[in-house]
Amino acid sequence: MMISRLPLKGILTACLMCLPSLVSAQQPGFASTLQSTLDQSAQSGKFTFVVFHRDNNAATRDFYQQTQTGLLAHGEKAVLTSAKVDDPAERALVEKLGISRAPMPLAVVLAPNGAVTGLFPRTITPDLIASAIVPPTMMQCMKELQNQKLVFVCMTKTDRIDVPEGVRAVQQLPQYKDRISLVGMRVDDPAEARFHQQMKLEPNKVNGPYAVLIAPPGALIGHFDASASTEQIAAAIHKAGQCCNDENCKHNHAPQASGPAGSRR
């Protein structure tokens, strides 16, 4: 077993401070054009870059143009739209995102599965845009983390997901059974190479059941192979301050993500 408590770098770190994954949240009595766009993006598997603004001034137009230009390099992976942050039709979405008082203009990036993968106030660059278009497994993990789940990313070299027995046993413990998500990932999938780096994973060391544990808001807790015991895994969760949902527990202090690289500025 190899334990690491180094925070994940980049877009996964914050998971936008554990924002809930976005679901349909249309304000009663109003037709949300933005929600319709999000629904279409979800069906087509595209990321949606939403430029929120209060006024259609020069700063907003420049920000929108920079975003549009930056997205040219990503082909059909993303769509761009805009919305007024004080539009009554978008109030439910704005409240869900918690951006009503955020500095504007603001780009919010939403993955096809509803996860928030980027928040960029006032400044956006090609690198930031690229950071928000995350690999498939990373996108799935971000959604689970934003729903306050402990995520075990289970590595595999085939289409069959092997879960270490210690991880399965921890998942059955009363204090964890409703708080753990298992996500499978093929270590030979080139599309996931960026996520390998985030998790400090060396694919050639994956032989048999192997899992990486990530906790909200995006902290790397440890790597566990088939030899990891239930007690060792539970101890790592406990040490990371993720042992329970009791806010008064002296151990219950979520590990801090390092820096705002990628997702927040």
Side-chain angles (χ1 to χ4, degrees):
M1 177 183 65
M2 176 172 57
I3 296 293
S4 169
R5 289 197 61 216
L6 292 173
L8 288 169
K9 302 285 187 181
I11 192 79
L12 186 58
T13 54
C15 280
L16 309 179
M17 300 314 293
C18 302
L19 281 170
S21 59
L22 195 64
V23 295
S24 180
Q26 186 169 318
Q27 188 77 1
F30 296 96
S32 170
T33 302
L34 176 54
Q35 186 63 59
S36 297
T37 300
L38 293 174
D39 291 343
Q40 291 173 10
S41 294
Q43 293 175 7
S44 58
K46 296 182 179 181
F47 289 78
T48 305
F49 283 68
V50 186
V51 174
F52 284 95
H53 60 92
R54 289 190 174 87
D55 302 298
N56 188 22
N57 53 25
T60 297
R61 293 192 294 272
D62 288 347
F63 188 89
Y64 186 93
Q65 182 61 53
Q66 290 168 13
T67 307
Q68 188 175 51
T69 301
L71 285 173
L72 292 176
H74 299 281
E76 299 298 317
K77 293 182 179 179
V79 297
L80 174 63
T81 189
S82 64
K84 291 197 68 173
V85 73
D86 55 0
D87 185 342
E90 313 301 353
R91 185 178 303 162
L93 289 170
V94 169
E95 290 178 353
K96 188 82 173 176
L97 292 165
I99 61 170
S100 61
R101 297 185 180 182
M104 298 287 156
L106 169 72
V108 178
V109 189
L110 298 152
N113 69 346
V116 181
T117 62
L119 278 178
F120 308 119
R122 293 181 177 166
T123 301
I124 195 163
T125 66
D127 286 346
L128 292 174
I129 289 171
S131 74
I133 301 176
V134 302
T137 304
M138 193 171 175
M139 174 179 69
Q140 188 176 352
C141 289
M142 292 180 79
K143 181 175 182 179
E144 296 298 329
L145 289 165
Q146 288 166 16
N147 286 329
Q148 297 298 301
K149 298 288 188 178
L150 296 167
V151 181
F152 282 95
V153 186
C154 301
M155 310 303 167
T156 177
K157 293 182 178 179
T158 67
D159 290 332
R160 178 176 177 271
I161 299 175
D162 288 327
V163 182
E165 287 302 318
V167 172
R168 288 193 184 277
V170 167
Q171 191 180 27
Q172 300 305 313
L173 296 176
Q175 66 268 41
Y176 299 125
K177 65 183 182 68
D178 297 323
R179 300 175 54 219
I180 286 176
S181 289
L182 303 180
V183 176
M185 186 181 81
R186 286 194 61 137
V187 295
D188 58 352
D189 185 350
E192 304 290 359
R194 175 179 160 196
F195 199 22
H196 292 173
Q197 297 175 0
Q198 295 281 332
M199 294 186 292
K200 305 199 180 295
L201 177 70
E202 297 181 48
N204 62 332
K205 291 187 177 180
V206 177
N207 295 301
Y210 193 102
V212 177
L213 173 59
I214 308 169
L220 176 61
I221 303 304
H223 289 221
F224 305 96
D225 59 20
S227 68
S229 69
T230 306
E231 292 75 16
Q232 287 173 321
I233 299 172
I237 296 173
H238 182 89
K239 186 177 180 180
Q242 297 284 341
C243 55
C244 64
N245 287 319
D246 183 359
E247 294 182 358
N248 297 316
C249 174
K250 66 180 181 179
H251 301 288
N252 192 15
H253 301 288
Q256 297 298 308
S258 68
S263 60
R264 295 172 71 92
R265 290 181 62 87

